[in-house]
Structure formats: C-alpha cells, structure tokens
Amino acid sequence: MSVGDVVLEDTLTSAPAPVVAGLEEGNHVTLTPVHDNMDSHGQIMPTEEELAILPRVAGTMPWSAYMLCAVEFAERASYYGCNQVFKNFIRAPLPLNGNGAGAPPRTGAGHQKSAGALGKGTVIASAMTDAFKFLAYALPILGGWLADAHLGRFKTIVIGVIICGVSHVIMIISAVPSVIQAGKAIGPFALSLYMLSIGAALFKPNIAPTILDQNPHLKPHVITKSNGAKAIVDPEATAESIMLWFYLLVNVGGFMGVATSYLAKYVGFWSSYLLPGIIYFLLPVFLVIVNKRVKKLPPGGSALGDFIKVNIMALKAAGIRGIGRKGYFDRVKPSVIAASGDSRTFHWDDKFVDDVSRTMDACAIFLFFPIQQINDGALGAAANAQSAALTSNGVPNDLLDNLNPLAIIVLIPIMNHGVYPLLRKLGIRFGQIKRMTFGFLIASIGASSYAVIQYYIYQTSPCGYKASTCVKGTPGFDGEGVSHLSLWLYGIPTIVTATSEVFVNVTALGMAYSRAPPNMKGLVMALNLFMTSISTAISLATANAIQDPYLVWAFAAPSIIGFVAAIVFYWLFRKLDEEDFFVHADSQLDLTLKNEHVAKDEEKDIKYHSSLDEKNSDNKEIREIKE
C-alpha cells in the first residue's frame, strides 16, 4: 500500500478491503500487491503446498466470546445446581426424625438415607424430571426460530434470562419447610420447574451460536507467528477450542451440584435452591458488561418455510427409497427443474438447496445422539435408584453424579492443549465423525458397567431384587436396607460415560453452527438440543419399567444398542470428515463487516449530533452573556 511516496508493506496488508475503500480519496492511497493470494477480507489464503506442509493452529478469539462463556457458566450453575436435587426432592418422603426441611437425621440409621420432601416415588420422579428435561430441550426449536426470524439471538437470550430469574424465586418458596410440611409444595414447585424449562429453551439454543458469531476465523488462512514461523489458522480447530472452553465452563457450573447435594442432606432443600439462585443473578451483570462489545447479528427472517418446501419436493421427486441416496436433492434445484422444461419460479437458488442438503446431513447425524445420551446417565431415575441402594456412609447418594462434570473439567484442558494440538502437529486428522464415533463407543462401555454394578446390588442387597425400595425393618430382611457395596463403585460408570460428552457434545455444537445457513443457525442448534428431548421421551415411555427387578436391563439394553449404533454411524457418515468446516464463510464475513460498518455509522451519527448540540449550547451561552 502506498501513501504519497511511502510504501507500507505488511503493516496494512491484513486490513479488510472495506477499510481501504473507506479512506478519503485525498490521501491518494493505492494498493501494492504484496500478497497475490489475499482475499477480499484481508486474509492470506494458503497455497496447496502450504495446506499440505504447514502446521494448523487454533486462532485467537475476542474476549467477548470468553465473557459469553462466563454467562453460560452462571446459567448452567443455577440449572444443574437445582437439577441435581430434583429427583430426591420428588421421589423420597420427608425423612423420619429429620429437620423438616428435607434433611435426614445425622446419626443412627438415618445417616445412610437420602434427603427427601414430596415422597412421590421413583415413577413420578422420573416422569416429572423427564417432562422438565423434555420441554427444556424440545422448546428450543421455538427459541431458535424466534431468534433467527424476529428477535435476534441476544435479545432472545435476555428474555430467557428474565423468565428463569422468576422461576428461581418461586422454586425457593416451594422448598420453605412450612410449605413442604403443609403438603403445598408440589404446586409452586411444578410451576417453577416448567417455567425454568421455558427460560432455558430460549437461552440454550442461542448462546453457543452467539459465541461462535464472534469467531473471525471462518476460512483457513496463513499467519506468521512471533518466532517467524508460518502456520495455518484452522477454522475447525478455532471453533473446537472455544467450544471446549464453553463446555468446560458448562461443567464447572454443573459442579454446583456438589454443594446443593450436601445442602439438601444436611440443611434442607430451601438452601439447595437458594444457592443456585444467587449464582444465577450474576448472569445479568455479565450480560451488561459484554453488551456493547458483543457482535450481534440481526434476525434475517427465517428460511424455515423454504427449507420445509425443498424437503417435501425432494421427497415427492425421489420417494422414500431415495432418502440418503446420491443426488436426492439435485432434482429440486431450480437449474435442474428449468433444464427439464418446467417454467416455475422459486424463492431459492441452487446454493440454498445445497444448504438444505448439508443441514439434513447434520440432522441425520443428530438422530444418533439419543442413544448416547441415554447411556450417559441411564434411563430416567435408574442411576439415582442404583446409587440409593449402595452403602454411602453419610455421603449424599446423588453427590457422585458430580463426577460427571469433574471428569469433563479434567479432560477438556488435556484434549484442548495436549492431545488435539499434538494430533494436528503430526498431521493426523481426528475429524468430527471419528470423534463422535469414539464418544458413542465410550458411552456404551460406561453403560455396560452400570449394568454389572446393578446385578451385584441385587445379589448383595438385603431385599434382593427389591433393592431400590429397601428400608430398614422390611419384613424378612435385616441390616440397614442397602447393599454392602460402596457408593463409590457408582463413580466408575459416571466418569467413563462423562468422557463421551467431550467427543460428542462439543463436536455437535460446532457442527450444528458450521453446517447451518446463516439465518437458520439458532434453529439447527435447537434441532441438536431436540435430540435430548427424544432421549427424555424414551425415558418417559419406559418409566414404569425403571424399577425393580428390571434395572439391570435398563442399563444393559441401551448399552448393546449403543455399540451397534456407533458402527452404523461411522459407516454412514465417514466421508463428511473430508468436507470444509465452515460452508458459509464468505456470506458470514460479509454480514459481519456490514454490521460493523452500520454500527460505526450509527456511532458517527451520534457523535456528530452530539457535537452539534454542544456547539448550539455554547452559542446560546455566548448570546446570553452578550445580552
């Protein structure tokens, strides 16, 4: 770039073209082609040789992305802190000789029992918590659509935050000892439970896309590091890195369940709901801090209608047997239809049909997630019933569920800063499909260990095949009402299945964002979340079977299905590992730059009018002095 007689070599070569175009003509700025392979956004594109030999690295992200991860932490800490004790709150009655707030006695036989309040049993506990989970992961389809079409992601997040805040207040009221003892806790608790699911449904599908919106690295490009060595900034590695941080903070928040489990057992449920509520109200503070710095993409109008029409037309043209076959969507491309002599016009072009095809590939991948989610934590309240049948020695039976987030917190830095960089350095591509297949297999292995532990519980429980409902004094049985096996055995499958989330859930977040059209990212993220509602619906449908003496098969059957599904999954989708990560890089960069220019223009207008107001005010004061 030349200004007068001065040539600025690499100083401004990374400046986007609109920045150069915005300079005043009077500066006589001309471009010097220092890099022939620079794109219109100022990024240096790698050559074929550089793609083959240069190491790939994750790019840096703006601090606003990490602040949004902190927002997710506060929301998840409150969500999981409360969720941790829901099943005990609903399932178990107020402990005999307890403190009246749900905590059992600290001495004697009661020391081995869990906290409780409503006494509705395992079936009702499974039904209520699964219904809550179903709504929290099914309604995001509405939340994603609202954000894409009408409200924008950030505004939708704010509305969800308000709803969740109200629900936390009501939940605390439902756990006040006098309300529980009067038998009136179920009404306000149910209201708060389902309000929380609605607020989470607005928040959850939009927070991860908003974080990924901050990513400036949408295409592979060459950088020169401080030591002079060149590297390629890899969009997939960048997205994977920030999503690993995102998921790390999700699980740091999930660790709040440790505190709430102990509070429920030793203080009462009112305190186990109060603490997450306090953490939750940090969330609005974080949003205010990040508000002016975060990149907010406007709603673009939903493409859902055209998306559905393209799918219907493709199904009519190819039939059910054509689903998944090569060229399935080609028949409904406007160019193909026009070439056949059909004069119809459409709202979409060939590129949009390709977008639909890629999105449907992602949705087909998501269909395999419910079995992994069932293996990662078991059907309904089966795992909770298993832990309650083991010798705890005063440890809350649901405390060990927190080994799930702990395992993830330990594993993520190892993968993010050790394993993944090493694989990239060695040139080994551990693609999205390979990562998810590996995760599916790990989840199935963990679920099989649940089944083994449950078998031995039945063999050692004083109540035999009625282990989950066994209490001291049951006719014909002696002892404390639990198996002599240690509760800590339950930690083995909990840790193993947790590791699967690092490979499946984190990868799915990046895939849902990268493969979706720009104005359907919230909706496609919601479709990913919707798979959790399917796994929850399966739990609801099998609720009556999640009881003694069938608990071994409640763990074993999903494990067997999971092993088979992992093999089928890899065979069907293995070729997707060869595709580009971001498929809408150019259009998203253009939209980002456009919004940045609009924001700058608005800021200039505000400053201009402000200066005019100050000038007019000064003139008025001068006139008043003269008068």
Side-chain angles (χ1 to χ4, degrees):
M1 180 178 291
S2 300
V3 182
D5 295 328
V6 180
V7 176
L8 307 178
E9 291 289 341
D10 280 340
T11 306
L12 296 176
T13 53
S14 63
V19 173
V20 176
L23 294 174
E24 295 180 4
E25 295 180 3
N27 289 333
H28 304 292
V29 177
T30 58
L31 290 174
T32 300
V34 178
H35 296 286
D36 294 332
N37 54 338
M38 181 183 292
D39 72 357
S40 60
H41 303 289
Q43 294 178 334
I44 303 171
M45 297 296 100
T47 63
E48 291 295 328
E49 182 182 2
E50 287 173 329
L51 282 171
I53 64 173
L54 289 182
R56 292 176 178 258
V57 297
T60 56
M61 291 286 286
W63 73 268
S64 58
Y66 295 100
M67 182 58 73
L68 287 170
C69 289
V71 169
E72 172 72 357
F73 155 75
E75 191 272 341
R76 290 290 92 180
S78 65
Y79 178 95
Y80 286 122
C82 292
N83 186 67
Q84 182 70 36
V85 297
F86 282 161
K87 286 176 182 175
N88 277 346
F89 184 79
I90 301 167
R91 178 185 61 80
L94 277 172
L96 188 65
N97 300 321
N99 68 354
R106 300 190 182 189
T107 58
H111 187 53
Q112 297 290 351
K113 303 308 294 180
S114 62
L118 302 183
K120 299 296 182 181
T122 300
V123 173
I124 297 299
S126 292
M128 286 190 70
T129 54
D130 284 345
F132 161 72
K133 193 174 181 181
F134 177 83
L135 290 174
Y137 287 95
L139 290 179
I141 290 179
L142 175 62
W145 175 79
L146 279 173
D148 288 337
H150 300 291
L151 300 177
R153 285 192 267 276
F154 195 80
K155 186 179 290 185
T156 307
I157 287 170
V158 171
I159 294 172
V161 167
I162 294 171
I163 294 173
C164 287
V166 175
S167 72
H168 275 291
V169 174
I170 298 173
M171 188 172 291
I172 294 167
I173 294 172
S174 74
V176 171
S178 59
V179 177
I180 296 174
Q181 293 168 25
K184 297 179 180 180
I186 186 66
F189 174 74
L191 175 63
S192 65
L193 188 68
Y194 300 122
M195 279 185 67
L196 186 63
S197 70
I198 294 171
L202 295 175
F203 180 94
K204 193 64 179 170
N206 294 301
I207 186 65
T210 303
I211 292 171
L212 288 168
D213 284 343
Q214 315 308 306
N215 185 4
H217 310 289
L218 302 183
K219 298 166 71 175
H221 59 277
V222 179
I223 61 168
T224 302
K225 296 191 285 187
S226 58
N227 61 2
K230 288 186 175 181
I232 293 176
V233 173
D234 185 20
E236 182 175 350
T238 305
E240 184 77 12
S241 179
I242 190 63
M243 284 296 97
L244 282 168
W245 279 108
F246 172 82
Y247 207 66
L248 173 69
L249 288 176
V250 166
N251 284 278
V252 172
F255 214 63
M256 181 60 60
V258 174
T260 56
S261 292
Y262 272 103
L263 284 171
K265 187 172 178 70
Y266 292 105
V267 180
F269 285 102
W270 66 269
S271 60
S272 61
Y273 293 150
L274 177 62
L275 179 60
I278 293 171
I279 298 294
Y280 182 83
F281 285 104
L282 291 174
L283 200 157
V285 176
F286 291 151
L287 286 177
V288 170
I289 293 172
V290 80
N291 180 40
K292 292 185 179 180
R293 297 288 184 179
V294 72
K295 186 189 301 177
K296 303 170 191 172
L297 299 185
S302 178
L304 181 60
D306 289 341
F307 180 85
I308 294 172
K309 289 177 183 177
V310 168
N311 274 285
I312 292 173
M313 288 180 62
L315 182 60
K316 288 181 178 178
I320 294 178
R321 293 184 178 181
I323 295 176
R325 297 183 182 275
K326 188 176 180 180
Y328 175 74
F329 282 100
D330 289 345
R331 298 177 179 86
V332 295
K333 288 184 174 179
S335 63
V336 174
I337 294 173
S340 69
D342 193 325
S343 60
R344 286 180 296 171
T345 58
F346 302 93
H347 298 297
W348 58 83
D349 56 14
D350 288 2
K351 183 178 180 298
F352 180 77
V353 176
D354 288 335
D355 289 344
V356 172
S357 177
R358 279 187 286 261
T359 302
M360 291 305 294
D361 282 341
C363 292
I365 288 170
F366 298 158
L367 289 174
F368 283 79
F369 289 4
I371 187 62
Q372 180 266 339
Q373 291 162 356
I374 289 172
N375 282 326
D376 180 21
L379 282 167
N384 181 261
Q386 181 178 103
S387 64
L390 294 164
T391 297
S392 66
N393 292 321
V395 176
N397 74 299
D398 52 1
L399 175 69
L400 267 65
D401 289 335
N402 293 283
L403 289 174
N404 174 291
L406 179 61
I408 294 169
I409 290 167
V410 171
L411 183 60
I412 280 179
I414 295 172
M415 300 304 298
N416 199 16
H417 298 290
V419 177
Y420 287 155
L422 177 61
L423 291 176
R424 289 194 293 267
K425 186 176 181 179
L426 295 174
I428 299 172
R429 181 173 171 79
F430 193 35
Q432 293 176 308
I433 301 303
K434 290 186 181 70
R435 291 199 298 271
M436 287 191 281
T437 302
F438 186 63
F440 291 154
L441 291 172
I442 291 175
S444 297
I445 292 170
S448 65
S449 60
Y450 275 125
V452 172
I453 293 171
Q454 188 62 45
Y455 171 79
Y456 282 102
I457 286 174
Y458 282 148
Q459 301 306 308
T460 56
S461 171
C463 297
Y465 279 84
K466 295 182 180 180
S468 68
T469 55
C470 188
V471 295
K472 184 178 182 181
T474 299
F477 301 106
D478 297 321
E480 296 295 337
V482 293
S483 166
H484 67 77
L485 297 175
S486 172
L487 174 63
W488 293 99
L489 281 174
Y490 175 77
I492 297 172
T494 304
I495 291 173
V496 173
T497 56
T499 61
S500 72
E501 296 182 29
V502 175
F503 300 100
V504 177
N505 296 12
V506 175
T507 305
L509 291 170
M511 173 170 281
Y513 183 87
S514 68
R515 299 188 70 83
N519 57 343
M520 285 185 63
K521 293 189 183 296
L523 180 62
V524 175
M525 187 67 72
L527 290 173
N528 171 33
L529 297 173
F530 183 70
M531 296 304 106
T532 302
S533 70
I534 292 179
S535 65
T536 304
I538 294 171
S539 289
L540 280 168
T542 57
N544 285 331
I546 304 173
Q547 55 185 320
D548 297 325
Y550 312 115
L551 291 180
V552 171
W553 281 106
F555 300 114
S559 175
I560 295 169
I561 296 170
F563 277 115
V564 175
I567 297 169
V568 174
F569 173 83
Y570 183 75
W571 183 79
L572 288 175
F573 301 109
R574 63 192 184 281
K575 293 183 179 179
L576 293 184
D577 273 344
E578 301 170 8
E579 294 188 3
D580 291 335
F581 183 68
F582 280 108
V583 295
H584 302 95
D586 289 326
S587 59
Q588 188 153 334
L589 280 167
D590 290 338
L591 182 60
T592 298
L593 288 170
K594 179 181 177 181
N595 279 283
E596 286 176 354
H597 289 310
V598 169
K600 287 178 180 177
D601 289 342
E602 290 177 351
E603 186 177 352
K604 287 179 180 178
D605 287 342
I606 291 170
K607 289 182 178 178
Y608 173 73
H609 289 296
S610 176
S611 65
L612 282 180
D613 291 341
E614 290 177 3
K615 187 175 181 180
N616 291 335
S617 177
D618 290 343
N619 290 338
K620 183 179 179 181
E621 289 177 4
I622 291 171
R623 286 197 301 270
E624 289 176 350
I625 291 171
K626 287 181 177 180
E627 290 175 357

